[in-house]
Amino acid sequence: MRKIPLLLLTVFSVFSLCGAVLKTGTPVKALPSPLFVDGSTKMIGDFYGKKFVVLYIFEQNRAALDDFALMHEVRKRCADIADFVGIGIGTVEQLKKFPGVMQFGYPVNADKGKARGMFVRDGESLPLAVVLDKKGVLLWRGPVKAAVKTLNECANGKFDLKEQIRQEVFTDTVNDAIRNEKFDIALPMLKKEFAANPRKLELLRVQLAILKKLNRIDEAFAELRAAQLLRPRSYRIFEMEYQLIGETKKVDRLPDFFERLKKNFAKSPGILLGFALSECKLPPEQLEFKYVFDLVETGWNSKAFAKDEDKGMYALDYAKIFHSVGRNDLAAVMARQAQVLLAKNAQGAQKAKTAFLYYTKMMQIAPKVKLPDLKK
């Protein structure tokens, strides 16, 4: 957990600079190509008037193949709300041969790549769903999995186009500032937006990425503390702090961090266990077992388990931790407790039984094992 992955590809890497990308709120008057896979030619306006329209833009790759089933489900759930038009990147001949295209059940436009430049904004990738209103005005674009929510909001009159446009203008402005390394402009904007939308953790992640780039580490920690006050029940924000401590080797911050973690998640044993297990995976020079046992014991004593089965599974992990420090006697006791708690869960009970036998055998053999003669 202390090693943070690269999450912000749109911040410090490649940006699409195509100036022809349609802005949200503008009408889609025509597609780059009028040709469809069935050999017909159609105008996009032919689909307007009765329902919302979803443009599904995809390339011929694994990402599309993985997405097709999800898109099929979206269409099934939203058939009464919207009509669907596929836009495949490639020739008619290529698209006809690409698995699944001919089974879409709705028209598929054959595009030579210009639709990507027309609809795909900074940070977006294909496949992409684009929602148009009944007159062809571009309302929203994003991943297919989010399209159902958007379409339902549109159908119920709850979609806020002005707010959607505001968010996209904000994103474009911040991206432009980051691209040009005008961090003094980007940081205050991100901070203000996150304060208004604390559930959007990507805003916080971008702030942290910038502050780390500028080596303003103390400020990064301060932003995390402020974010935790806004959302004290978000363990993801604590994960970010834990990762930052590891990255910067600010181990002097660990005692205070773990105390706050225990306080905030005193009734969430699963979260405390998760951090304990992550600490166990650190290399020996970084590993601190005192934090591991403090966290896992706090979780065990929380009395916040929803059911015996949950506590039983927790006990199995607790046993593994005892085993990792050579206390197989305590591991065996905890595994036996897990058997009791998992009595109604056949698979879990068997796992606990196996663990108990394993730790018991290790406990029994340990005193009998002797060091060989090292001189031979």
Side-chain angles (χ1 to χ4, degrees), residues 66-79:
D66 293 342
D67 205 56
F68 283 174
L70 180 58
M71 187 61 203
H72 177 75
E73 183 63 23
V74 170
R75 182 183 176 231
K76 181 179 177 181
R77 292 174 61 183
C78 300

Side-chain angles (χ1 to χ4, degrees), residues 111-127:
D111 182 87
K112 294 183 178 180
K114 292 185 178 179
R116 184 192 293 107
M118 184 175 179
F119 292 105
V120 182
R121 293 160 38 85
D122 285 347
E124 294 173 339
S125 59
L126 300 182

Side-chain angles (χ1 to χ4, degrees), residues 309-374:
E309 184 177 340
D310 295 338
K311 193 170 186 178
M313 298 307 295
Y314 191 102
L316 278 176
D317 282 316
Y318 206 157
K320 289 179 185 177
I321 294 172
F322 278 132
H323 166 64
S324 67
V325 295
R327 291 302 304 270
N328 291 300
D329 55 333
L330 300 181
V333 172
M334 192 59 76
R336 173 66 82 186
Q337 184 67 17
Q339 281 184 275
V340 175
L341 293 166
L342 293 168
K344 296 180 180 180
N345 181 325
Q347 186 175 2
Q350 181 58 48
K351 185 181 293 187
K353 179 181 178 181
T354 300
F356 171 75
L357 290 173
Y358 177 74
Y359 299 137
T360 299
K361 288 186 175 183
M362 293 199 75
M363 179 179 61
Q364 292 170 343
I365 193 64
K368 302 175 183 179
V369 176
K370 297 180 180 180
L371 192 67
D373 187 345
L374 299 180

